[in-house]
């Protein structure tokens, strides 16, 4: 906009007319750099530790950079442990949970928002009450339920209890309520059925909300520790957070390996975040703000 | 809106229009009416999962809490309210509840203030906005156990970076007065990113014209923050505090991992969730574990209901 006013001179002039370095901006940016450094330092420390040998990792006093850079720890976790199994398990569980949650909560959100059936009000009340239940609150009864179903130490036992999130139904319910009814009614007049309206009109319109729910569910499921920890003891079935916390912690901690494993659990999401930052930020904010 | 109709001259025309459109919508209703009956099918898949993994465990928990069930899941006897009576007299129940409450009391105010300040910073720096978001939010993407292991490593005496960088000699993980503090610091670092994003989204949704108007009236930056930003953030602050209270009371992962699945120095980091799981899975007293879980559920529900009540009161007050 202001480019026309700026003298058609050097690029530096243009840049500075766009964003002047005022004293307050300088102070704020320096502050931002300082806080960011503090926030990133632990991650950097994990990375550097993972690139040291086990003996160098526990040297006193500690030093930031490895004196000898080595991928020993990374090689070791792949050679000896079952970290690749855990990674695959995490992926399977998170993908299944995300898919099921998306389908089930989109359908239910739409059903509650736009259709009528007997007992709807009471059911909605129950779902709202369900917001307060989590494995942390009622872990033991949930475990005995899953035990009754014979699903302890199975994939389904890990997946299904994560697939009834009242919160996601509520978020999509709120969103579907905001879609103008006229859009649907036009389609009904043309003879389309409920299901067709849902798939051809509602779903395409709600892509941002659905991706928000999907992203949030995937992060929560990938990072879920408590429920997989309760429901499985089998090292072959464990997920990343679970395997790292229990198995890798059990035979005398090898810090370099533990940090390498931790980064392997955390890095996929962080890398995805770098590329899809806008969507993820919108997704997390959207799901969080829906609680207002 | 339409309570007072201006000009009677308009009435006949609008009336005829209305009857016409009413006839139209009636036939539309009749046609869609049949389809609406199917509404239940949309909700059915969710309700099945919800009934199996939320409702049933709650009911089962209530039932088990009146029995002496063990982990095998067979042969339990009804013992009335014995479990509840025992729970009220169990010092560990109160102690672990106190630890969870203490943790909550430390975490919630710190996270709220920190998230707000970080959001203000990220919102007002004009350059490289993505970088600040990335740095502040990245820890939240780690699994809780990884964050906990990392801080266990940072707090490690001797080889740990914290003591080295600050030139101190604190036994963070093994001294009773620091163990919970270490867990709090880890939690702040790990989860502040979520509340930070909520604040950032709220800041971005405050309309610019409010600030412009204030500037024209001669308000300085401080006045603009106190009289525009803070009031506009009241709702989001309520949300952040409520979500954090609920999440913090349920603390478990970080606490157990940082203490190698133990209960910390002199049991000082044993949280309530950890105690319920100990009773259920270590001593196999499922009935008793269910009873204390139900007590915990009531506490959580009370917090959630208190928030709803506050929200409703405020809405009514605003009206």
């Amino acid at each position: 906009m202001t480019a026309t006013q700026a003298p058609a001179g050097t690029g530096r002039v243009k840049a500075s007319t766009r964003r002047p370095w005022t004293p307050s901006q300088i102070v704020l940016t320096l502050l931002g750099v300082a806080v960011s450094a503090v926030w990133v330092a632990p991650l950097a420390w994990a990375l550097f530790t993972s690139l040291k040998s086990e003996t160098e990792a526990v040297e006193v006093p500690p030093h930031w950079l490895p004196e000898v850079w080595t991928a020993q720890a990374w090689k070791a976790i792949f050679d000896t442990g079952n970290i690749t199994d855990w990674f695959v398990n995490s992926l399977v569980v998170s993908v299944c949970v995300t898919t099921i949650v998306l389908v089930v909560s989109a359908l239910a959100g739409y059903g509650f928002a736009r259709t009528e059936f007997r007992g709807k009000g009471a059911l909605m009340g129950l779902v709202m009450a369900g917001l307060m239940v989590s494995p942390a609150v009622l872990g033991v009864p949930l475990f005995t339920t899953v035990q009754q179903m014979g699903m302890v130490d199975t994939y389904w036992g890990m997946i299904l209890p994560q697939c009834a999130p009242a919160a996601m139904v509520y978020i999509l319910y709120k969103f579907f309520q905001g879609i103008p009814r006229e859009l649907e009614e036009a389609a009904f007049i043309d003879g389309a059925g409920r299901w067709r309206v849902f798939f051809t009109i509602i779903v395409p319109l709600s892509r941002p909300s659905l991706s928000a729910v999907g992203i949030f569910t995937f992060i929560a499921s990938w990072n879920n520790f408590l429920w997989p920890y309760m429901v499985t003891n089998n090292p072959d079935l464990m997920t990343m957070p679970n395997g790292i916390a229990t198995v890798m912690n059990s035979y005398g901690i090898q810090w370099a390996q533990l940090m390498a494993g931790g980064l392997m659990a955390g890095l996929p999401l962080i890398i995805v975040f770098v590329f899809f930052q806008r969507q993820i930020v919108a997704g997390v904010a959207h799901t969080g703000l829906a609680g207002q | 809106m339409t309570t007072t109709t201006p000009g009677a001259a308009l009435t006949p025309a609008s009336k005829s229009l209305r009857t016409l459109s009413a006839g139209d919508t009636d036939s539309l209703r009749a046609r869609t009416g049949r389809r609406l009956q199917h509404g239940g099918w949309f909700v059915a898949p969710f309700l099945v999962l919800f009934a199996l993994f939320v409702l049933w465990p709650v009911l089962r928990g209530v039932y088990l809490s009146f029995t002496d069930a063990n982990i095998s899941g067979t042969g339990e006897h009804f013992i009335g309210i014995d479990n509840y009576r025992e729970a009220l007299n169990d010092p560990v129940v109160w102690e672990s509840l106190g630890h969870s409450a203490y943790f909550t009391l430390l975490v919630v105010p710190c996270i709220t203030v920190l998230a707000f300040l970080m959001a203000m910073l990220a919102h007002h720096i004009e350059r490289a906005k993505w970088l600040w978001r990335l740095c502040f939010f990245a820890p939240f993407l780690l699994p809780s156990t990884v964050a906990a292991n990392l801080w266990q490593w940072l707090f490690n005496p001797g080889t740990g970076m914290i003591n080295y960088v600050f030139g101190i000699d604190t036994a963070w993980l093994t001294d009773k007065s620091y163990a919970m503090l270490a867990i709090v610091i880890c939690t702040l670092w790990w989860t502040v990113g979520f509340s930070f994003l909520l604040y950032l989204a709220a800041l971005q949704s405050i309309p610019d014209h409010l600030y412009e108007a204030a500037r024209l009236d001669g308000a300085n930056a401080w006045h603009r923050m106190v009289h525009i930003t803070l009031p506009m953030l009241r709702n989001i602050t309520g949300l952040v505090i409520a979500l954090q209270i609920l999440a913090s009371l349920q603390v478990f992962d970080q606490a157990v991992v940082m203490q190698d699945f133990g209960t910390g120095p002199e049991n000082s980091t044993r949280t309530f969730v950890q105690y319920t799981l100990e009773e259920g899975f270590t001593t196999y007293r499922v009935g008793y574990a269910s009873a204390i879980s139900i007590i915990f559920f009531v506490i959580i529900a009370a917090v959630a209901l208190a928030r709803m009540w506050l929200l409703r009161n405020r809405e009514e007050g605003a009206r």
Side-chain angles (χ1 to χ4, degrees):
Chain A
M1 289 187 270
T2 50
T4 46
Q5 285 179 322
T10 58
R12 218 187 71 217
V13 175
K14 255 188 221 165
S16 65
T17 52
R18 215 179 62 222
R19 289 169 169 179
W21 271 112
T22 59
S24 66
Q25 274 300 311
I26 295 172
V27 172
L28 283 174
T29 310
L30 286 177
L31 215 60
V33 170
V35 179
S36 301
V38 171
W39 242 249
V40 173
L43 286 172
W45 177 235
L47 182 66
F48 294 143
T49 301
S50 78
L51 293 170
K52 293 173 182 171
S53 66
E54 291 296 347
T55 44
E56 197 191 338
V58 292
E59 259 171 30
V60 181
H63 43 265
W64 279 100
L65 294 175
E67 271 152 15
V68 184
W69 296 75
T70 166
Q72 259 178 24
W74 286 88
K75 226 168 101 32
I77 59 171
F78 282 105
D79 289 347
T80 58
N82 11 18
I83 201 152
T84 42
D85 292 342
W86 300 337
F87 195 89
V88 172
N89 291 339
S90 267
L91 210 59
V92 169
V93 170
S94 314
V95 168
C96 286
V97 168
T98 308
T99 315
I100 298 175
V101 164
L102 269 179
V103 172
V104 160
S105 57
L107 286 172
Y110 182 72
F112 280 124
R114 279 302 159 78
T115 69
E116 296 300 332
F117 52 91
R118 215 169 284 164
K120 186 172 113 169
L123 281 178
M124 195 65 208
L126 263 186
V127 172
M128 297 294 289
L131 287 172
M132 298 164 213
V133 182
S134 73
V137 181
L138 283 169
V140 174
L142 180 60
F143 176 82
T144 61
T145 306
V146 170
Q147 192 184 32
Q148 272 185 325
M149 297 175 182
M151 294 198 301
V152 172
D153 271 334
T154 64
Y155 274 125
W156 290 117
M158 274 192 280
I159 293 166
L160 289 178
Q162 299 188 54
C163 290
M168 300 302 156
V169 172
Y170 181 70
I171 287 163
L172 291 174
Y173 160 77
K174 279 281 191 201
F175 179 80
F176 292 145
Q177 272 189 329
I179 295 180
R181 276 178 192 273
E182 287 77 18
L183 290 173
E184 288 176 278
E185 278 164 8
F188 286 140
I189 290 169
D190 292 343
R194 270 275 168 217
W195 293 96
R196 209 158 127 213
V197 167
F198 177 74
F199 284 111
T200 57
I201 296 176
I202 301 295
V203 169
L205 278 176
S206 0
R207 213 167 281 158
S209 281
L210 289 174
S211 62
V213 166
I215 288 166
F216 197 81
T217 307
F218 190 88
I219 296 176
S221 175
W222 179 271
N223 289 343
N224 193 346
F225 165 69
L226 182 56
W227 179 244
Y229 168 67
M230 281 200 259
V231 85
T232 177
N233 279 320
N234 180 350
D236 294 334
L237 272 178
M238 284 177 178
T239 56
M240 284 297 271
N242 191 6
I244 289 169
T246 55
V247 177
M248 288 186 78
N249 270 334
S250 61
Y251 23 72
I253 298 182
Q254 307 259 309
W255 286 106
Q257 286 187 32
L258 188 61
M259 291 300 119
L263 285 174
M264 205 177 134
L267 278 183
L269 283 184
I270 293 180
I271 290 168
V272 169
F273 183 76
V274 172
F275 288 104
F276 295 96
Q277 186 175 177
R278 187 169 302 162
Q279 288 86 337
I280 293 176
V281 167
V284 172
H286 184 104
T287 40
L289 290 172
Q292 269 191 98
Chain B
M1 286 190 281
T2 51
T3 42
T4 52
T5 41
L10 277 169
T11 320
S14 61
K15 198 175 237 170
S16 66
L17 246 171
R18 201 170 297 154
T19 44
L20 227 177
S21 63
D24 257 9
T25 46
D26 272 356
S27 69
L28 180 68
R29 289 242 172 79
R31 243 186 299 163
T32 55
R34 261 166 286 128
R35 297 193 184 102
L36 292 177
Q37 295 301 318
H38 299 305
W41 290 111
F42 282 92
V43 187
F46 172 75
L47 283 184
V48 170
L49 287 167
F50 188 73
L52 285 178
F53 298 108
V54 180
L55 291 183
W56 181 247
V58 172
L59 296 175
R60 199 174 152 72
V62 172
Y63 162 72
L64 288 172
S65 72
F66 294 108
T67 70
D68 62 353
N70 58 24
I71 198 79
S72 68
T74 51
E76 66 254 18
H77 304 287
F78 189 76
I79 55 166
I81 59 165
D82 281 5
N83 283 329
Y84 288 98
R85 201 178 293 144
E86 186 187 339
L88 293 180
N89 293 314
D90 181 351
V92 186
V93 164
W94 296 105
E95 194 190 279
S96 56
L97 198 56
H99 294 154
S100 294
Y102 175 59
F103 173 86
T104 307
L105 219 60
L106 288 178
V107 164
V108 175
C110 291
I111 267 199
T112 312
V113 172
L114 208 57
F116 168 71
L117 293 178
M118 286 163 84
M120 287 292 275
L121 200 55
H123 184 63
H124 286 292
I125 301 179
E126 283 164 1
R127 286 175 184 74
K129 282 178 179 296
W130 64 272
L131 181 69
W132 320 117
R133 276 197 312 227
L134 174 67
C135 292
F136 297 168
F137 185 67
F140 184 73
L141 293 168
L142 294 177
S144 54
T145 55
V146 172
N149 272 144
L150 176 50
W151 281 86
Q152 189 187 14
W153 176 221
L154 284 161
F155 280 128
N156 215 19
T159 57
M161 247 326 172
I162 298 285
N163 280 353
Y164 176 72
V165 167
F166 293 100
I168 47 177
D169 194 21
T170 307
W172 291 97
L173 301 169
T174 47
D175 184 331
K176 192 182 168 214
S177 34
Y178 293 107
M180 192 56 102
L181 200 61
I183 297 167
V184 168
I185 292 171
C186 164
T187 310
L188 286 179
W189 176 80
W190 173 50
T191 58
V192 76
F194 178 70
S195 304
F196 155 78
L197 276 192
L198 295 186
Y199 267 121
L200 191 62
L203 280 174
Q204 284 164 351
S205 69
I206 300 177
D208 278 339
H209 65 78
L210 291 181
Y211 291 107
E212 273 154 33
R215 208 170 284 139
L216 288 178
D217 289 344
N220 62 26
W222 174 252
H223 286 141
R224 290 198 298 271
M225 186 173 106
V226 173
H227 295 294
I228 301 175
T229 313
L230 290 183
M232 292 297 277
L233 292 178
R234 244 180 62 181
N235 278 346
I236 198 73
T237 304
L239 176 73
V240 166
I241 290 176
L243 290 178
Q244 286 304 330
I245 290 178
L246 291 175
S248 305
L249 284 175
Q250 300 177 32
V251 58
F252 172 77
D253 305 6
Q254 311 94 291
V256 289
V257 172
M258 282 179 77
Q259 291 296 339
D260 290 325
F261 291 84
T263 51
E266 295 173 53
N267 298 327
S268 61
T269 66
R270 171 151 59 196
T271 63
F272 198 79
V273 173
Q274 188 177 2
Y275 186 51
T276 63
L277 298 188
E278 269 175 28
E279 286 298 316
F281 297 119
T282 314
T283 53
Y284 301 132
R285 298 184 61 204
V286 169
Y288 186 63
S290 298
I292 56 179
S293 299
I294 296 291
I295 294 174
F296 191 47
F297 177 57
V298 170
I299 295 171
I300 295 285
V303 173
L305 291 176
R307 166 153 193 272
M308 278 185 195
W309 183 76
L310 279 176
L311 272 182
R312 183 168 305 165
N313 272 10
R314 189 189 298 165
E315 265 166 32
E316 271 163 17
R319 227 174 268 149

